[in-house]
Amino acid sequence: MASTMGPSHRKTSVQYGRKLWHLYQLSRGFLTDISCRSRNSVTATSWAIFDIYRDPELLTSIRAEVDACRVDAGREDAPIKFDLDRLFRLPVLQAVYAETLRLRMHFYIIRMPDRADMRIRDWVVPRKKVIVTATTVAHMDSEVWNTGTNNERPVDQFWVGRFLRYPTKCVDDGGSKSYNPAPTFSTKEAEGGWIPYGGGVRQCPGRHFAKRQILLTIALMVSLFDCDIIGEGLNVKEDFSLNGFGGGVSHSAGKVPVRIRRRAGKANLRLEV
């Protein structure tokens, strides 16, 4: 049977079909991205909790920050409810998040200059040629990252101080000088060097959701549970084999035995959202 559709209608139908196909591809890519990032978020949270609980001083600092964000914290039977705006701005908590991704995120950023040659200082990447770089190179550059006053904090170790800035002098507050020793969180000093989500216009669209997911899970964990990492689990290493490297947040090379229990007086607490 011959088509009774005119040329203009056929053209419109083809364009509409292409738009539908494009939207389908975008939605499929978005859902794939959400799935991958959820996997990375869970693994990153596990590493963050691991590093917090094996450092008693850091654990105390995180708990003090998180407790200050509790709503109705004075009631013993009150459900856990956080001032989320304040929680997501906590400096040490954010530093744990950022340092975890710096140290544990290993994936490949792939780019191709589509329209013209790409010039990077003395290098030229020809048009239509693919360039691949690993985030690990940037995250382990000791010339970019703070390694302590006497280089006592090498880049292959976990240290939240890389993302914390402390005031160095008094501040004039309405005629009287005051000093606030509280640190602030910042990634600006390492701009271009901290790239766990890639960069540019193709940066991970789920990065804000991932950050909130990780921070809230850490806050709940330190509020509700005590956790003892047992034996060799304290020194577990990352899996840098071909099976474990390059796909996102690394896995541990072995099992991490832990003893976990409810904190004293927290047995009946629950989360309220």
Side-chain angles (χ1 to χ4, degrees):
M1 181 181 294
S3 173
T4 59
M5 186 181 296
S8 61
H9 289 86
R10 284 198 295 269
K11 182 178 180 181
T12 302
S13 297
V14 169
Q15 291 175 342
Y16 182 69
R18 287 174 178 171
K19 287 183 179 180
L20 286 177
W21 176 252
H22 181 62
L23 288 172
Y24 166 72
Q25 293 293 339
L26 284 177
S27 63
R28 189 175 69 169
F30 177 76
L31 292 174
T32 300
D33 183 82
I34 289 293
S35 175
C36 292
R37 294 303 170 184
S38 295
R39 170 262 180 197
N40 281 326
S41 296
V42 171
T43 312
T45 303
S46 300
W47 277 118
I49 291 170
F50 168 78
D51 283 306
I52 289 171
Y53 276 99
R54 66 174 183 166
D55 184 340
E57 185 177 345
L58 178 59
L59 175 60
T60 299
S61 180
I62 289 290
R63 277 178 171 166
E65 277 193 342
V66 170
D67 285 346
C69 296
R70 286 278 307 278
V71 178
D72 293 330
R75 290 171 45 200
E76 286 295 329
D77 60 341
I80 288 186
K81 188 175 182 179
F82 295 112
D83 179 340
L84 295 181
D85 288 338
R86 187 178 177 188
L87 182 76
F88 295 146
R89 294 197 300 267
L90 294 176
V92 180
L93 183 62
Q94 289 188 93
V96 168
Y97 154 81
E99 177 68 352
T100 297
L101 294 185
R102 181 200 70 83
L103 185 61
R104 313 295 188 185
M105 176 66 82
H106 309 279
F107 80 98
Y108 299 108
I109 299 176
I110 303 173
R111 295 290 184 268
M112 182 187 73
D114 185 46
R115 299 181 180 180
D117 294 348
M118 179 189 294
R119 297 184 178 274
I120 307 174
R121 296 184 179 178
D122 297 331
W123 298 87
V124 177
V125 181
R127 175 175 172 271
K128 296 293 185 180
K129 296 295 183 181
V130 175
I131 181 172
V132 179
T133 183
T135 58
T136 312
V137 176
H139 290 173
M140 294 293 171
D141 188 348
S142 58
E143 294 185 3
V144 172
W145 297 101
N146 178 9
T147 56
T149 306
N150 299 308
N151 295 318
E152 71 277 12
R153 301 288 189 173
V155 292
D156 62 347
Q157 293 182 8
F158 183 90
W159 181 46
V160 297
R162 297 184 221 281
F163 294 92
L164 294 175
R165 302 294 173 261
Y166 293 86
T168 58
K169 58 183 179 181
C170 295
V171 178
D172 191 347
D173 183 14
S176 61
K177 291 187 176 181
S178 61
Y179 177 69
N180 181 7
T184 57
F185 169 77
S186 175
T187 60
K188 290 182 178 180
E189 289 76 6
E191 189 171 0
W194 188 74
I195 49 175
Y197 297 108
V201 296
R202 297 193 177 276
Q203 196 171 180
C204 171
R207 61 191 182 278
H208 303 299
F209 175 79
K211 179 178 181 179
R212 284 159 175 75
Q213 181 184 13
I214 293 169
L215 296 183
L216 181 57
T217 304
I218 294 172
L220 288 171
M221 186 71 185
V222 300
S223 297
L224 292 175
F225 298 101
D226 285 321
C227 184
D228 298 321
I229 302 172
I230 303 170
E232 296 181 357
L234 284 167
N235 299 310
V236 71
K237 304 298 182 183
E238 295 174 80
D239 181 5
F240 284 142
S241 68
L242 291 179
N243 291 329
F245 185 86
V249 179
S250 61
H251 290 275
S252 63
K255 295 182 178 180
V256 182
V258 298
R259 182 183 299 110
I260 185 171
R261 59 191 177 279
R262 282 272 191 169
R263 294 179 66 194
K266 310 290 184 180
N268 297 319
L269 285 181
R270 65 192 187 281
L271 174 65
E272 182 179 285
V273 294

